[in-house]
């Protein structure tokens, strides 16, 4: 299967083709581990998970490296405020980060090197860049010279007339309006961890971290580089400049970026009080599958406006899916044959995913299956239809990975299900005394029927 994907470098949707046959090498910018990941960060990591699953579905084997930024301005500041070593902060939040990934069913990268374990390699690159005239030392720090690298600005479409020759920036993040020679190495400061290198004592800048780690573990040229859109400038522009100046070749073929998550229409920030972590959503009673579904179900190149109402909608959508699965698994002995329809929609689901990760379109095919079968009545479809749905949904779930889509054989006997259907109809007809009678019968048979806005769910009493 061919995947089409939007490449930030060309600003076009391209046919994806790996450098080396079937093997895909991917580098993903990882977390800065100084605090809990917020829901915006998690949107990015769920997007990376979706991309990985689609690559595997398309038949590629994948090797993914993701850095852990365990030394940076924010981590050092936090450690100094608390009076602890910065490793104490970074190790704590790295652990929590991987727990969050697991809760959201995002598979781990094959390798997740910490920046502080790779400093020798960063130093080697910096030394080479100095020797070749791409970088220079000033007041104990080392800067990359934009003037030495004419390709600078191509990824972020920077207006090079804005570059003031010789202007320097020391901070890791800055706006496109103030480009300048950026720090590869930051000279030693009081109260900051430092490392002794031939070009001076200090610590690495953020951008060199990803150039060094990707080159060390993936080689000079690899297929995919991912990040959130906020990383296009300056982080990826700088990374590209350093890596390409060092390697002398185009290092990354596909730059893939996911859009931002905003909250109730506004940029998420602690001061606005609209900052959510996974824990906070858990404390509000949401389960991980609802959060995963909410994050995965909007297209990676569209901004995601997170709202609690939207999360509740995701929760009710997946509970509808669960209800459908339960009804279908209790049936499948009727005569209505919809198996061809199911297979067509299954194919359309995957075709949509291969087209620039078209998840919205893909999900619409899942709902066509549900709606068509619901219209015919899940208890009346034949065994071939049931089999086709089991196959399709099992495949869908290799991508979506939500428990509601698991096609486990129903433990609900068909006669209990029929009584529940009758009761549901009685409620629709406002015949509440009949509905109560039927509930009594269902209870006597050892089952509990729960009403939802869309229908009902059955459970065995002791489960
Ligand atoms: P950080 O831990 O800050 O280095 O960020 C980790 C990843 O989360 C980066 O790829 C960012 O682009 C991404 N990210 C940060 N904030 C948001 C947001 N509000 N929405 C989507 N992605 C984000
Ligand atoms: Zn990076």
């Amino acid at each position: 299967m061919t995947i089409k994907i939007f490449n930030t470098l060309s600003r076009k949707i391209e046919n994806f083709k790996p450098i080396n046959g079937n093997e895909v090498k991917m580098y993903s910018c990882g977390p800065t581990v100084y605090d809990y990941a917020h829901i915006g960060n998690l949107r990015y990591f769920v997007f990376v998970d979706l991309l990985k699953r689609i690559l595997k579905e398309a038949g590629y084997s994948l090797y993914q490296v993701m850095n852990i930024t365990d030394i940076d301005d924010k981590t050092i500041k936090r450690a100094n405020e608390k009076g602890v070593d910065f490793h104490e902060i970074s190790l704590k939040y790295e652990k929590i980060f991987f727990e969050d990934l697991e809760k959201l069913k995002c598979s781990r990268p094959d390798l997740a090197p910490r920046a502080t374990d790779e400093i020798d390699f960063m130093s080697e690159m910096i030394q080479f860049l100095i020797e070749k005239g791409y970088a220079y030392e000033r007041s104990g720090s080392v800067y990359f010279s934009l003037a030495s690298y004419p390709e600078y600005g191509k990824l972020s479409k920077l207006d090079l007339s804005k570059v003031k020759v010789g202007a320097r920036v020391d901070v890791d993040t800055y706006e496109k309006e103030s480009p300048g020679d950026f720090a590869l190495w930051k000279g030693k400061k009081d109260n900051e961890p430092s490392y002794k290198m031939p070009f001076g004592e200090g610590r690495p800048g953020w951008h060199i971290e990803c150039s060094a780690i990707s080159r060390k573990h993936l080689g000079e040229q690899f297929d995919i580089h991912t990040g959130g859109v906020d990383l296009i400038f300056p982080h990826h522009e700088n990374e590209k400049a350093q890596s390409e100046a060092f390697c002398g070749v185009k290092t990354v073929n596909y730059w893939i970026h996911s859009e931002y998550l905003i909250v109730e229409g506004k940029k998420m920030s602690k001061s606005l009080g609209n900052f959510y972590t996974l824990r906070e959503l858990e404390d509000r009673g949401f389960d991980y599958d609802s959060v995963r579904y909410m994050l995965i179900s909007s297209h990676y190149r569209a901004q995601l406006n997170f709202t609690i109402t939207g999360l509740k909608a995701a929760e009710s959508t997946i509970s509808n899916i669960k209800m459908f699965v339960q009804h279908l698994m209790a049936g499948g002995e009727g005569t209505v044959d919809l198996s061809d329809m199911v297979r067509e929609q299954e194919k359309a689901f995957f075709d949509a995913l291969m087209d620039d990760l078209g998840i919205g379109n893909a999900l619409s095919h899942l709902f066509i299956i549900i709606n068509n079968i619901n219209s015919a009545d899940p208890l009346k479809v034949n065994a071939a239809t049931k089999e086709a749905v089991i196959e399709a949904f099992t495949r869908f779930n290799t991508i979506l990975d939500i428990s509601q889509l698991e096609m486990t054989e129903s433990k609900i006997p068909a006669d209990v299900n029929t009584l529940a259907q009758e009761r549901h109809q009685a409620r629709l007809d406002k015949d509440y005394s009949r509905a109560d009678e039927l509930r009594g019968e269902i209870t006597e048979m050892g089952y509990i029927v729960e009403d939802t806005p869309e229908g009902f769910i059955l459970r065995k009493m002791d489960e």
Side-chain angles (χ1 to χ4, degrees):
M1 266 192 263
T2 309
I3 299 182
K4 288 195 167 88
I5 193 88
F6 185 84
N7 190 347
T8 307
L9 189 59
S10 64
R11 303 289 195 278
K12 286 195 180 101
I13 292 182
E14 298 178 12
N15 282 338
F16 175 70
K17 193 170 181 309
I19 297 167
N20 189 15
N22 219 28
E23 289 164 23
V24 177
K25 288 185 182 176
M26 170 156 122
Y27 185 84
S28 300
C29 281
T32 312
V33 282
Y34 73 104
D35 205 342
Y36 294 100
H38 57 61
I39 189 80
N41 301 133
L42 295 173
R43 184 210 186 175
Y44 162 67
F45 293 107
V46 169
F47 144 72
V48 172
D49 179 66
L50 175 67
L51 175 60
K52 286 170 69 176
R53 289 172 188 256
I54 291 176
L55 286 163
K56 286 185 184 161
E57 171 62 35
Y60 296 112
S61 71
L62 176 69
Y63 187 70
Q64 185 207 11
V65 176
M66 187 179 80
N67 63 307
I68 301 289
T69 304
D70 62 345
I71 180 165
D72 87 315
D73 301 348
K74 289 174 280 198
T75 319
I76 295 168
K77 184 166 174 270
R78 173 78 42 110
N80 286 345
E81 280 162 9
K82 300 211 169 218
V84 295
D85 183 86
F86 76 99
H87 285 111
E88 205 172 299
I89 303 282
S90 59
L91 286 175
K92 170 179 169 187
Y93 290 107
E94 178 188 313
K95 184 169 172 284
I96 294 172
F97 168 72
F98 282 115
E99 283 166 9
D100 283 357
L101 280 198
E102 202 176 322
K103 287 172 181 168
L104 291 178
K105 310 220 188 100
C106 298
S107 64
R108 271 182 177 251
D110 296 287
L111 203 69
R114 296 184 186 119
T116 52
D117 289 334
E118 306 282 349
I119 289 183
D120 285 348
F121 212 75
M122 297 179 209
S123 156
E124 197 185 298
M125 267 182 110
I126 294 171
Q127 240 172 303
F128 179 92
L129 291 172
I130 297 172
E131 276 160 31
K132 297 287 170 195
Y134 289 112
Y136 60 92
E137 188 266 319
R138 190 64 41 95
S139 316
S141 294
V142 179
Y143 296 90
F144 187 91
S145 155
L146 299 198
S148 73
Y149 190 69
E151 289 288 297
Y152 192 81
K154 293 239 165 97
L155 180 67
S156 59
K157 306 274 179 267
L158 185 72
D159 177 0
L160 287 175
S161 66
K162 293 215 172 100
V163 176
K164 289 195 206 101
V165 176
R168 278 181 289 279
V169 279
D170 284 292
V171 282
D172 285 332
T173 47
Y174 49 91
E175 299 299 315
K176 250 177 145 177
E177 284 61 41
S178 52
D181 292 355
F182 57 89
L184 298 173
W185 189 257
K186 300 180 178 201
K188 181 174 164 43
K189 284 195 195 133
D190 289 342
N191 293 326
E192 284 201 355
S194 63
Y195 304 81
K196 279 197 179 125
M197 290 300 157
F199 39 80
E201 187 172 350
R203 64 177 170 99
W206 172 34
H207 317 299
I208 193 71
E209 171 184 336
C210 290
S211 288
I213 294 178
S214 62
R215 180 174 170 263
K216 179 173 171 190
H217 297 288
L218 294 174
E220 294 199 338
Q221 292 183 296
F222 55 94
D223 302 295
I224 299 178
H225 194 310
T226 67
V229 281
D230 58 320
L231 300 191
I232 299 173
F233 187 88
H235 184 51
H236 288 165
E237 192 68 67
N238 293 356
E239 204 189 309
K240 181 173 177 293
Q242 299 157 159
S243 295
E244 295 188 350
F246 182 91
C247 300
V249 287
K250 179 184 180 189
T251 50
V252 175
N253 281 346
Y254 301 88
W255 289 89
I256 307 178
H257 294 98
S258 62
E259 249 299 344
Y260 242 46
L261 175 146
I262 53 173
V263 176
E264 311 273 358
K266 295 198 182 91
K267 193 171 176 203
M268 186 167 31
S269 84
K270 283 197 172 144
S271 57
L272 286 177
N274 63 0
F275 194 91
Y276 291 99
T277 63
L278 192 55
R279 266 147 214 260
E280 278 150 5
L281 296 176
E282 196 182 339
D283 288 347
R284 283 174 176 241
F286 292 105
D287 62 32
Y288 305 134
D289 278 337
S290 304
V291 179
R292 175 173 169 86
Y293 184 82
M294 184 272 299
L295 292 176
I296 213 171
S297 58
S298 65
H299 193 255
Y300 77 102
R301 284 198 292 122
Q303 242 186 25
L304 195 171
N305 186 20
F306 171 77
T307 61
I308 291 294
T309 319
L311 184 53
K312 284 186 182 149
E315 199 175 37
S316 99
T317 303
I318 58 178
S319 122
N320 282 347
I321 296 177
K322 185 179 172 142
M323 201 154 63
F324 168 78
V325 167
Q326 197 180 69
H327 293 181
L328 181 85
M329 294 311 270
E333 282 156 24
T335 52
V336 181
D337 187 2
L338 292 173
S339 55
D340 286 345
M341 178 279 295
V342 174
R343 275 190 288 270
E344 269 164 37
Q345 298 304 326
E346 178 186 346
K347 181 177 178 307
F349 179 99
F350 287 99
D351 288 349
L353 287 184
M354 298 302 149
D355 187 5
D356 197 27
L357 322 193
I359 186 81
N361 203 351
L363 287 170
S364 72
H365 295 291
L366 181 152
F367 294 115
I368 289 175
I369 296 179
I370 295 183
N371 291 340
N372 283 345
I373 294 185
N374 274 344
S375 305
D377 186 343
L379 295 179
K380 293 194 180 133
V381 295
N382 64 3
T385 306
K386 183 175 164 181
E387 278 311 306
V389 176
I390 293 174
E391 203 181 296
F393 278 31
T394 306
R395 270 188 82 205
F396 295 167
N397 220 19
T398 59
I399 304 287
L400 300 173
D401 210 346
I402 48 169
S403 59
Q404 290 77 0
L405 208 59
E406 279 163 20
M407 303 301 289
T408 40
E409 212 37 70
S410 174
K411 293 186 202 111
I412 313 287
D415 48 352
V416 175
N417 221 302
T418 310
L419 288 177
Q421 292 276 9
E422 270 178 42
R423 178 179 168 275
H424 182 59
Q425 192 54 50
R427 278 167 54 86
L428 292 179
D429 298 341
K430 300 198 173 6
D431 186 353
Y432 296 113
S433 63
R434 175 76 187 131
D436 284 348
E437 237 173 73
L438 287 161
R439 180 194 284 278
E441 283 181 46
I442 294 167
T443 313
E444 264 170 42
M445 292 166 93
Y447 289 84
I448 294 172
V449 57
E450 282 167 12
D451 296 309
T452 73
E454 297 81 16
F456 63 87
I457 289 183
L458 282 165
R459 233 172 0 97
K460 204 164 191 288
M461 246 167 210
D462 43 16
E463 277 175 359

